[in-house]
Every structure is written in C-alpha cells, then in structure tokens.
Amino acid sequence: MAFKITMFLFMVFLSLKFQSSKAQAWIRAGYWYSGSEFPISNINSELFTHLICAFADVNSTSYELSISSSNEQMFSTFAYTVKQKNPSVTTLLSVRGGIADYLVLSEMVSNLSHRKSFIDSSIRIARLNGFQGLDLCWVSANTSSDMTNMGILFKEWRNAASSEPNNSGKAELILTAAVQYSPDVEDASFPVDSIQSYLDWIHVMAYDYHMPQWYNFTGAQAALFDPSSETNTDFGISSWIGRGISSSKLVLALPYYGYAWTLVNPKENGIGALARGPAISEDGSMAFKDIKGYIDRYNAQVIYNATYVLNYCSVGSTWIRFDDVEVVKVKVSYAKEKKLLGYFAWHIANDDNWELYIAGKKWLELGQ
C-alpha cells in the first residue's frame, strides 16, 4: 500500500511538473539577440518568466536547424547562464526567417522530408542545449501556399514534440511563433486554425507600422491606436481574436527601439509632419537607451500622445518616435484588459538599465 501511495504521489508530481511547463498565468518575455553583442551574463533574468535566444538558422541544403559557429558557444550556454540568476526562467530557441532566408523556409515547409529534417533537428538541438521550447520567426511568409504549408509544419512539429518525451522523459517542448501584428499579410493569411490547435502561443510583432525609409512623413511606428488607419496594434489584436485565436495565446510586443526622421520644416514637428527620410542612422532606427542619451544630451522635451499612445521628441530637424515608460504602462494595461497571455520585449539589449522592463513589471504587480 505504501508503495502504491508513493507511486501515485510521484505520478501527480510529474503531472504537475508537466502542466506547469505548459501553462502560464502571465508571460513576461524578452528576446536576446546575438547580434546585439550584449553579454548573456548581463541579462537580469529575474525580471523575466521567459527568455528567447535569437537566432538559429535553417540549413539551405539539409533543411536542418543549425547554429552558426559564431553563435555556437553562446547558444550552448544560454540556458545555463540565465538560470544562474533565475532557476525558474523558461528558455526558448528562436529560428530566424527574415527576408534573406525566405526561399529556404518556403522550400522547407513545402516538402515532407524537408519538414521532418527541420523538426527532428530542432528538437534535438533544443534538448542538447538545454532549451525548453522553440520559436519560429518567419514573418516574411507572404503567399497562401506558404501559410498552408506553415500550418502543416505546426501540426507535424507538435506531433513530434508530443511524442518526444516518451524517449527523453522530459516535459514537452513549448512551441511558439513570431507573427505580424495582423493575421492578414498582403494576399495571404496566417494559418489561424493550426496556430490555435498546435502552438502554445504566438508573439505578435506590434511594431514597424511606419518607418522613415518608407514614408515622407513622421509616423506612429508602434501605435496602440490610430483613429485614421487600421495599421495599429488594437486593430491587429482584435483581428487575431476575431479570426479565432484565443486571447490567451497572444503575447504582445513592446518595442525597445524607435525611429528618427528628418523633418522638412523643424517648426512642423507633430505626427504626420513632412519628412525627407531617416535621421541619425542609415535606416533611422535607434535603441531606447540611445534615444534616452540623445534626449539628455540635447535636453529635448518628450511629448506623450494619448490618442496613438506613443512618445516623440524633436531637436532641430530630427524627430524621434519611441515608447517610453508611460507607453509601456498603457500597453501592459491593455494586454491585461484584453486578457492576453502577456508581453515580450524586442529586444532586451536596447533597454536603458532595465528601465522599461522594470516599469512594466511593477505596473503589472500593482494590478493596474
């Protein structure tokens, strides 16, 4: 009898352990990007529930997941390093799918054997390096066939991840994806049904709506609302939910960067002011910490716009749009009100001494 009770309690423990790895009351995640040159050991992992290591790649010949030689050492120690400060933090490995990798990923998802190569290798590499989940970041997918095949991949990926614990004895890997702010992209739509059925959640990339190299006027790069356009976060989140995605599968992006425009007339410096391209950097992008330094250096006045929910400032002909503490608090409150699963930062190295992340965490804890 004592043996049966012991075995029962052991099975309950395993069940609870498995469930805790799959269910989260609230996610506070952040992407660490290897190209940022921000040391992994400097990550304040105590602030996060989830940390995502970016990026692994897909081999153009074998279609297996691969880690570049320059990233191999960092990626192999990522999970171990961040767990030194926070043993309970969950780590995921993100697979890149930018414009440069579009054809490789399109070919991979379109072929059964290629998908299997990717799936098997991704699970193997995740386990080998101590990651508890995998994230697919293929936001350049833009055709109906891409989206259909992506949905097939998600199903096969989940089936493989569900059966793998029978051999490894470990909790099932978390599977996620980074997606555009809206389920509809050009003439295609993300595979909503497959996402709902087979992924644990999705990271909604609610940013880059307006960029200085695209438009000749200043714009709301990550507007929560926009009274004159459907290109805004609230519209995107509502669209995902309206298409059938549970709000509890949506994790909202907090962009830790902004863009600088060159104004045509420095005296006309509001949202929608005429501009002639990027300022400061080649594409106008600026990390939040660099924006803060710029503001301090020029003693610039920061303006908060409650209609769009954004901050901006101008110095001469330079106009900068970004999210400061006020915006982070509103977006965190929005995520709670919409019953989303949480939020994530892209990317954490851009923060200024963890100012934005601490603000969001404290605001959440206050129950606002």
Side-chain angles (χ1 to χ4, degrees), residues 30-246:
Y31 279 80
W32 171 83
Y33 174 47
S34 62
S36 67
E37 299 182 355
F38 185 80
I40 299 169
S41 58
N42 286 1
I43 299 174
N44 186 355
S45 56
E46 293 180 341
L47 295 173
F48 301 87
T49 61
H50 294 71
L51 283 166
I52 307 161
C53 179
F55 290 104
D57 300 295
V58 177
N59 185 281
S60 60
T61 302
S62 68
Y63 299 99
E64 293 185 337
L65 186 146
S66 64
I67 297 174
S68 67
S69 57
S70 60
N71 286 336
E72 191 171 2
Q73 176 61 30
M74 293 185 293
F75 283 29
S76 66
T77 59
F78 181 88
Y80 172 81
T81 302
V82 298
K83 285 177 179 289
Q84 295 305 295
K85 296 178 183 177
N86 181 6
S88 65
V89 70
T90 298
T91 59
L92 289 80
L93 176 63
S94 186
V95 184
R96 170 169 44 195
I99 295 174
D101 304 295
Y102 168 77
L103 292 177
V104 176
L105 287 177
S106 183
E107 179 63 25
M108 182 271 285
V109 300
S110 68
N111 182 283
L112 175 62
S113 64
H114 294 169
R115 292 194 302 269
K116 180 172 173 51
S117 294
F118 167 76
I119 290 168
D120 292 347
S121 62
S122 68
I123 293 174
R124 183 179 67 253
I125 289 177
R127 292 300 193 198
L128 181 64
N129 292 281
F131 291 102
Q132 295 153 280
L134 289 156
D135 174 64
L136 179 65
C137 184
W138 187 26
V139 294
S140 59
N142 57 20
T143 68
S144 58
S145 60
D146 282 341
M147 298 303 188
T148 298
N149 293 330
M150 187 191 299
I152 296 172
L153 171 71
F154 290 157
K155 180 179 180 179
E156 295 171 352
W157 208 12
R158 171 56 65 199
N159 289 340
S162 295
S163 61
E164 186 268 345
N166 294 329
N167 297 321
S168 68
K170 298 180 180 179
E172 184 175 333
L173 288 169
I174 295 166
L175 298 180
T176 68
V179 298
Q180 299 281 17
Y181 83 101
S182 168
D184 300 310
V185 181
E186 298 180 9
D187 296 324
S189 298
F190 278 91
V192 172
D193 291 342
S194 292
I195 289 172
Q196 177 68 25
S197 298
Y198 304 119
L199 296 185
D200 290 287
W201 65 79
I202 52 177
H203 300 111
V204 182
M205 300 169 63
Y207 45 70
D208 285 356
Y209 305 149
H210 296 277
M211 300 163 68
Q213 66 267 44
W214 295 351
Y215 298 97
N216 60 356
F217 56 88
T218 61
Q221 167 238 356
L224 184 57
F225 306 106
D226 187 336
S228 62
S229 169
E230 294 181 346
T231 309
N232 63 83
T233 298
D234 180 58
F235 176 85
I237 292 295
S238 298
S239 297
W240 278 107
I241 295 172
R243 291 286 298 279
I245 295 291
S246 301

Side-chain angles (χ1 to χ4, degrees), residues 291-339:
I291 294 172
K292 291 285 288 186
Y294 188 89
I295 291 169
D296 291 342
R297 186 161 60 252
Y298 292 100
N299 194 28
Q301 179 185 3
V302 175
I303 297 173
Y304 171 70
N305 183 293
T307 300
Y308 294 87
V309 185
L310 58 81
N311 297 103
Y312 67 90
C313 68
S314 61
V315 177
S317 62
T318 299
W319 189 91
I320 304 173
R321 196 235 69 84
F322 63 103
D323 287 3
D324 208 336
V325 168
E326 303 102 316
V327 174
V328 166
K329 290 179 178 179
V330 174
K331 288 186 175 181
V332 169
S333 294
Y334 173 88
K336 290 290 289 183
E337 291 167 4
K338 292 291 184 178
K339 301 186 186 307

